[in-house]
């Protein structure tokens, strides 16, 4: 009985601290930072609760209760989504999970390398599709054009936002790649070369295990032990919404080693330039409609 009496007030304090932390992080972010329209009658500093709920794919009522310090359960997966939506840095992310009393499912989360400056750079490159990848070819962040170039990246779980996983298992992504056999062979070889420095790391071994389990094509290519150096080239992509697009694919390394890098897809002709501009316009219109719909429901 004594333990329960002591723990309940502590839990209540933690819930209120979590609620205050979430509100403070929400209020510091502008709609433009997360690709949402500002609108004419915005009075709330930063994002609205409805917008955070939309970005995190959680219910508006549930998120409101969370900010009201209600006694509700919060899963690590939801906390992960909130950390991404609120653009938390590594320290803030750790604080979020500590306040919620939960274990971080991604302790080496993308926000550890994707700084606010890099996120602004991605946005400013639009409509040129751009993303940030690590040496394991996970997509850590991307701008709106890149998010719809091959498939809807934002609709995928974090663990599926990986070039190899998409190339070997995602049908929408595979349909967009005009030279899929060559791309699959190159990706398998690049991963093999990059993995030489990470052979004992669980995340790398888990990616290979998932790919071998899911794709006979990957198993066959992986068994060849081919290695391919990272590099750029011209890519033709068949986008489901705006048609065939041609790009010069380039990498800009963000550190001294061939690890985290900025990926850009620069249009090779006027038709592609116009195509990516149309694609960005479609994405902006859709997000504006979704945001207005969320506000109407609330």
């Amino acid at each position: 009985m004594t333990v329960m009496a002591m723990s309940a007030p502590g839990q209540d304090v933690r819930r209120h601290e979590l609620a205050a932390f979430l509100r403070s992080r929400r209020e510091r972010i502008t709609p433009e930072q997360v690709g949402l329209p500002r609108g004419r009658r915005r009075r709330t500093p930063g994002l609205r609760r409805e917008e955070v709920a939309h970005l995190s794919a959680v219910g508006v009522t549930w998120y409101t209760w969370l900010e009201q310090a209600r006694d509700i359960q919060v899963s690590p997966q939801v906390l992960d989504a909130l950390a991404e939506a609120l653009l938390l840095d590594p320290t803030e992310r750790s604080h979020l999970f500590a306040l919620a009393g939960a274990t971080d499912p991604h302790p080496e989360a993308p926000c550890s390398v994707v700084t606010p400056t890099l996120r602004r750079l991605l946005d400013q490159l639009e409509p040129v599709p751009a993303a940030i990848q690590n040496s394991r070819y996970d997509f850590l962040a991307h701008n709106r054009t890149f998010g719809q170039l091959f498939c809807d990246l934002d609709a995928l779980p974090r663990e599926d936002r990986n070039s190899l996983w998409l190339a070997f298992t995602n049908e929408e992504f595979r349909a967009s790649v005009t030279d899929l056999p060559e791309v699959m062979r190159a990706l398998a070889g690049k991963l093999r070369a990059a993995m030489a420095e990470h052979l004992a790391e669980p995340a790398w071994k888990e990616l290979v295990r998932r790919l071998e389990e899911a794709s006979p094509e990957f198993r066959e290519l992986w068994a060849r032990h081919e290695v391919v150096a990272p590099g750029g080239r011209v890519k033709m992509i068949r986008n489901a919404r705006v048609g065939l697009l041609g790009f010069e694919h380039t990498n800009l390394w963000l550190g001294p080693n061939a690890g985290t890098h900025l990926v850009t897809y620069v249009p090779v002709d006027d038709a592609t330039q116009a195509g990516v501009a149309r694609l960005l316009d479609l994405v902006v219109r859709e997000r504006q409609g979704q945001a207005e719909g969320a506000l109407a429901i609330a």
Side-chain angles (χ1 to χ4, degrees):
M1 295 295 293
T2 303
V3 173
M4 291 181 64
M6 291 176 63
S7 63
Q11 292 173 357
D12 186 61
V13 170
R14 181 173 288 186
R15 286 198 304 272
H16 280 85
E17 186 67 22
L18 175 61
F21 180 65
L22 289 172
R23 284 195 300 273
S24 71
R25 301 303 87 185
R26 170 172 62 83
E27 292 173 355
R28 71 172 182 172
I29 300 173
T30 65
E32 292 84 357
Q33 285 180 278
V34 291
L36 294 176
R38 171 166 290 277
R40 296 181 179 178
R41 293 180 288 182
R42 177 175 295 271
R43 297 176 181 175
T44 305
L47 297 178
R48 300 184 177 101
R49 287 173 175 171
E50 295 83 3
E51 292 167 333
V52 174
H54 166 68
L55 291 168
S56 308
V58 301
V60 176
T61 300
W62 184 92
Y63 180 76
T64 300
W65 286 350
L66 192 60
E67 280 202 9
Q68 291 174 344
R70 300 278 190 98
D71 187 6
I72 57 175
Q73 296 296 316
V74 189
S75 71
Q77 290 72 29
V78 167
L79 291 170
D80 180 45
L82 287 172
E84 184 173 359
L86 294 171
L87 308 181
L88 301 189
D89 66 25
T91 302
E92 292 168 332
R93 181 184 175 94
S94 297
H95 187 62
L96 173 70
F97 279 87
L99 289 175
T103 301
D104 190 345
H106 302 287
E108 298 179 0
C111 57
S112 62
V113 293
V114 183
T115 64
T117 299
L118 288 175
R119 290 185 183 276
R120 288 195 296 272
L121 175 61
L122 290 175
D123 294 339
Q124 291 170 9
L125 285 171
E126 290 179 341
V128 171
I132 295 173
Q133 282 188 298
N134 59 18
S135 57
R136 200 170 53 242
Y137 296 96
D138 299 319
F139 291 112
L140 307 184
H142 56 270
N143 62 17
R144 292 173 294 184
T145 323
F146 192 93
Q148 294 291 328
L149 186 60
F150 298 94
C151 61
D152 187 354
L153 275 183
D154 293 317
L156 300 176
R158 186 193 299 277
E159 60 269 20
D160 290 354
R161 299 178 197 175
N162 174 277
S163 286
L164 285 99
W165 182 256
L166 293 171
F168 284 96
T169 71
N170 185 287
E171 291 306 320
E172 185 180 0
F173 185 97
R174 289 163 63 88
S176 71
V177 179
T178 58
D179 54 345
L180 184 61
E182 180 181 346
V183 167
M184 289 191 297
R185 180 179 178 183
L187 284 172
K190 289 178 180 179
L191 183 68
R192 172 73 74 177
M195 193 170 178
E197 298 180 2
H198 306 275
L199 291 174
E201 296 181 25
W204 289 74
K205 293 191 290 186
E206 175 61 13
L207 174 61
V208 172
R209 185 200 66 76
R210 290 183 70 209
L211 286 165
E212 288 184 320
E213 186 177 276
S215 172
E217 294 168 308
F218 177 80
R219 289 198 300 272
E220 191 274 328
L221 288 169
W222 193 246
R224 297 182 187 179
H225 286 262
E226 294 179 342
V227 291
V228 177
R233 63 187 182 86
V234 174
K235 288 189 175 184
M236 301 301 297
I237 297 170
R238 187 176 293 105
N239 184 269
R241 308 176 74 177
V242 298
L244 190 64
L245 304 170
F247 298 98
E248 181 72 36
H249 168 260
T250 60
N251 295 315
L252 175 63
W253 307 106
L254 302 177
N257 300 317
T260 306
H261 52 282
L262 173 68
V263 182
T264 58
Y265 283 65
V266 180
V268 296
D269 52 37
D270 292 340
T272 298
Q273 183 69 42
V276 294
R278 289 198 307 274
L279 182 59
L280 178 59
D281 182 63
L282 289 171
V283 175
V284 171
R285 290 173 181 270
E286 282 182 358
R287 292 194 177 184
Q288 184 170 3
Q290 290 169 354
E292 291 172 352
L295 290 174
I297 293 173

